[in-house]
Amino acid sequence: MTALDLSSPVGVVGTGTMGQGIAQVALVAGHPVRLYDAVPGKAREAADAIGARLDRLVEKDRLTDTERDAARARLEPVEGVAGLADCSLVIEAVLERLDVKQELFRSLEEVVAEDCLLATNTSSLSVTAIGGALVNPGRFVGLHFFNPAPLLPLVEVVSGFATDVTSATRAYETARAWGKTPVACADTPGFIVNRIARPFYAEAFAVHESQGADPATIDAVLRESGGFRMGAFELTDLIGQDVNESVTHSVWQSFFQDVRFTPSLAQRRLVESGRLGRKSGHGWYDYAPDADRPEPHTAEPERAPAYVVAEGDLGPAGELLALLREAGIQVREEEEDQGTRLVLPSGGQLALADGQTSVEFRDVVYFDLALDYRRATRIALSASQDTSPQTLAEAIGLFQALGKKVSVIGDVPGMIVARTVARIVDLAHDAVAKGVATEEDIDTAMRLGVNYPLGPFEWSRRLGRNWAYSLLDDLHLRDPSGRYAPSLALYRHAYATDKREGSGS
Ligand SMILES: NC(=O)c1ccc[n+]([C@@H]2O[C@H](COP(=O)([O-])OP(=O)(O)OC[C@H]3O[C@@H](n4cnc5c(N)ncnc54)[C@H](O)[C@@H]3O)[C@@H](O)[C@H]2O)c1
């Protein structure tokens, strides 16, 4: 099965933000494109707006004058669905309502040819449910573009229960021929990206709600230690709190209020009070011209310890030992079956965040997971009231000696990056086990759809195969609500690893 022939006309229904972007993609790829919108005159305005964007592509030397003129000539606004009769593919990007979309596809099915592929750009409705309105739902598929469609490469190609393999393949190949990176996925709430990304926001909000740290500190740790492009607070301010909350809410509702997807109360309050983010001038942060941008918590300089004793294998933080030696801190390594930690001269311990709290131990400081300890510019530490001031000072001095800024947060099990990554890894395993997508497509989707520095499976391999399971298991013990309960898929993964490695379960 091949992509649609470039001479085949493509119809786009709903010429708002997404419709215009998708139309531009199909047009620049070389198709004749028909635009239809329910509001009279809107398709014509959209054609003009797309024309202006083509002009800008010419200014940037990304399109020649001739190509622009030819593309404009291929773009035709029409005044009713009948104008889409000769299309080989129609993609809708209308109002996000099941009844509206079903009604539209019923009327489209009456005018288009029997072999015309029909597609929805829905982000939160079920493709199976929309397709239920069709006489032939086999030709119906989800083509979920990301905003702005001309710039973002990812397209989730969603098969509903009734979608034919040939239709899904044709949609997939067509998206690829348009220069996009398609990923195949089943019809489940949030598809791939909006399902697996939920903990990125939820865990940041949860750490804040539990008084663990302020938004500026959490954002800085996610960026500078986790390697994420933006922190969860600044990113949701950019997306719009209402838009982000509505996706979270819809995924949570669609999963029958599964506790793993519970929305944030604090975000609800922001939305209710009109603090929608950048677009309203105030969200988690205040964007008034005279407002102070809050700074992340950064510890004052402390003296580095002269030596540490490394007990056991530090796992994902193993690289620290080489960094400490390079910084002139003496490292004595001791075999240890039980613990994986650094013992400081104070006698206190420094351990990688593992889902336990500092208060459970006599004198311990936890440090957060970093994407890459060499390149991280900030590390979060957590301590309890039982941690001695000397241990905390030595832990701060140790990371400062490696050139890192240090943020001290509250005694939050799993800290910030570690719990976020563990939950993303878990949801990714769960999604594969439920047939949502392949590991490879999930990694691609999370890197391209939300700019994660690594796909969840790449991250999981780097962290060790049962790292996420054991962290979540610890967290689940401390918060038995079910929010952190590791999935059966992650359990199987960790158990299989243990057996292979001969260490039992
Ligand atoms: N905005 C995003 O970031 C984004 C990303 C991915 C998917 N989506 C999905 O794309 C779709 C459109 O979103 P948008 O942000 O472009 O919306 P939008 O409000 O910008 O545009 C919707 C357009 O559809 C038209 N319309 C409404 N009902 C219609 C009908 N029955 N027939 C013809 N035209 C109709 C409206 O007049 C409007 O021009 C939704 O399903 C949304 O979930 C949006």
Side-chain angles (χ1 to χ4, degrees):
M1 176 60 64
T2 50
L4 278 187
D5 194 275
L6 284 183
S7 62
S8 308
V10 171
V12 176
V13 184
T15 59
T17 311
M18 292 308 293
Q20 288 184 25
I22 295 166
Q24 183 182 328
V25 170
L27 191 65
V28 171
H31 290 273
V33 174
R34 319 259 187 270
L35 296 173
Y36 166 64
D37 197 282
V39 175
K42 204 151 178 208
R44 159 69 50 203
E45 283 169 28
D48 291 343
I50 294 168
R53 261 180 251 130
L54 296 180
D55 289 341
R56 282 203 291 282
L57 291 181
V58 172
E59 284 161 22
K60 291 180 189 162
D61 281 337
R62 307 237 304 270
L63 215 57
T64 64
D65 287 333
T66 322
E67 286 165 339
R68 185 255 329 266
D69 295 345
R72 279 195 158 182
R74 290 196 300 271
L75 186 59
E76 185 191 345
V78 300
E79 286 302 326
V81 286
L84 306 172
D86 68 340
C87 290
S88 300
L89 163 65
V90 179
I91 308 174
E92 71 75 22
V94 306
L95 201 61
E96 186 74 337
R97 254 180 46 195
L98 181 61
D99 58 338
V100 173
K101 293 194 194 270
Q102 285 187 328
E103 185 49 41
L104 171 70
F105 282 109
R106 272 193 210 102
S107 60
L108 274 170
E109 212 177 23
E110 285 173 13
V111 298
V112 297
E114 267 180 21
D115 62 349
C116 172
L117 198 58
L118 297 174
T120 174
N121 184 48
T122 184
S123 31
S124 63
L125 298 172
S126 153
V127 171
T128 311
I130 301 171
L134 293 175
V135 176
N136 173 15
R139 56 149 125 188
F140 182 65
V141 67
L143 267 180
H144 186 221
F145 288 80
F146 289 72
N147 186 22
L151 294 183
L152 294 186
L154 186 68
V155 179
E156 293 174 327
V157 182
V158 186
S159 289
F161 286 11
T163 306
D164 292 337
V165 174
T166 46
S167 305
T169 310
R170 173 156 276 213
Y172 184 98
E173 292 301 337
T174 300
R176 187 154 49 191
W178 292 356
K180 296 295 172 191
T181 306
V183 290
C185 95
D187 181 25
T188 66
F191 308 136
I192 300 175
V193 171
N194 281 339
R195 170 180 177 143
I196 295 175
R198 302 286 28 102
F200 178 73
Y201 313 106
E203 292 313 309
F205 300 162
V207 171
H208 176 47
E209 281 174 65
S210 63
Q211 308 297 306
D214 56 87
T217 302
I218 297 170
D219 277 353
V221 171
L222 285 169
R223 274 194 321 267
E224 297 173 41
S225 188
F228 292 97
R229 190 78 59 87
M230 292 176 87
F233 296 90
E234 56 195 350
L235 179 57
T236 53
D237 266 359
L238 184 68
I239 294 169
Q241 297 304 333
D242 50 343
V243 173
N244 181 260
E245 203 231 10
S246 112
V247 176
T248 302
H249 203 267
S250 137
V251 171
W252 173 65
Q253 285 291 13
S254 304
F255 276 115
F256 308 111
Q257 305 190 349
D258 183 333
V259 68
R260 292 175 306 162
F261 297 105
T262 304
S264 145
L265 198 55
Q267 189 180 35
R268 185 90 277 265
R269 294 287 175 265
L270 283 190
V271 174
E272 286 170 341
S273 63
R275 280 173 51 176
L276 305 182
R278 282 178 184 266
K279 64 186 172 188
S280 72
H282 200 178
W284 293 109
Y285 299 108
D286 186 353
Y287 297 93
D290 55 347
D292 289 332
R293 180 77 197 237
E295 291 293 323
H297 172 273
T298 303
E300 294 297 323
E302 297 286 354
R303 191 199 300 251
Y307 70 92
V308 288
V309 179
E311 292 185 348
D313 171 9
L314 283 185
E319 194 187 4
L320 273 180
L321 300 189
L323 297 180
L324 290 171
R325 289 191 175 105
E326 284 169 30
I329 297 175
Q330 197 195 338
V331 179
R332 276 186 247 142
E333 289 187 61
E334 286 185 4
E335 286 286 319
E336 174 62 58
D337 284 344
Q338 295 295 314
T340 55
R341 62 206 153 205
L342 298 171
V343 181
L344 297 162
S346 68
Q349 297 173 7
L350 188 56
L352 174 62
D354 61 2
Q356 304 185 85
T357 61
S358 317
V359 78
E360 295 167 56
F361 301 93
R362 193 180 52 79
D363 188 14
V364 71
V365 173
Y366 276 109
F367 63 95
D368 205 354
L369 182 69
L371 173 65
D372 174 342
Y373 283 96
R374 187 174 289 277
R375 289 167 63 186
T377 53
R378 178 180 299 273
I379 296 289
L381 300 180
S382 79
S384 75
Q385 67 273 18
D386 294 340
T387 308
S388 75
Q390 193 191 344
T391 296
L392 181 58
E394 286 179 358
I396 293 171
L398 178 143
F399 282 103
Q400 288 172 336
L402 306 185
K404 321 289 183 204
K405 293 184 187 124
V406 173
S407 293
V408 180
I409 69 167
D411 185 15
V412 181
M415 302 192 68
I416 298 171
V417 181
R419 60 156 66 195
T420 301
V421 172
R423 287 208 57 213
I424 289 169
V425 166
D426 179 51
L427 288 188
H429 277 274
D430 187 41
V432 171
K434 305 257 168 71
V436 175
T438 63
E439 292 188 5
E440 196 186 356
D441 275 357
I442 288 177
D443 276 354
T444 301
M446 303 314 287
R447 275 193 279 97
L448 298 185
V450 268
N451 269 318
Y452 287 0
L454 290 175
F457 291 96
E458 293 171 291
W459 224 327
S460 178
R461 281 191 287 276
R462 199 190 262 204
L463 293 168
R465 284 180 44 130
N466 64 4
W467 178 84
Y469 176 78
S470 100
L471 186 142
L472 290 176
D473 202 32
D474 277 342
L475 265 176
H476 177 53
L477 202 66
R478 284 149 188 85
D479 174 355
S481 64
R483 178 188 177 101
Y484 299 100
S487 65
L488 183 57
L490 195 65
Y491 174 73
R492 281 192 209 283
H493 184 72
Y495 179 72
T497 312
D498 274 0
K499 266 203 314 207
R500 267 200 298 280
E501 290 169 358
S503 54
S505 62

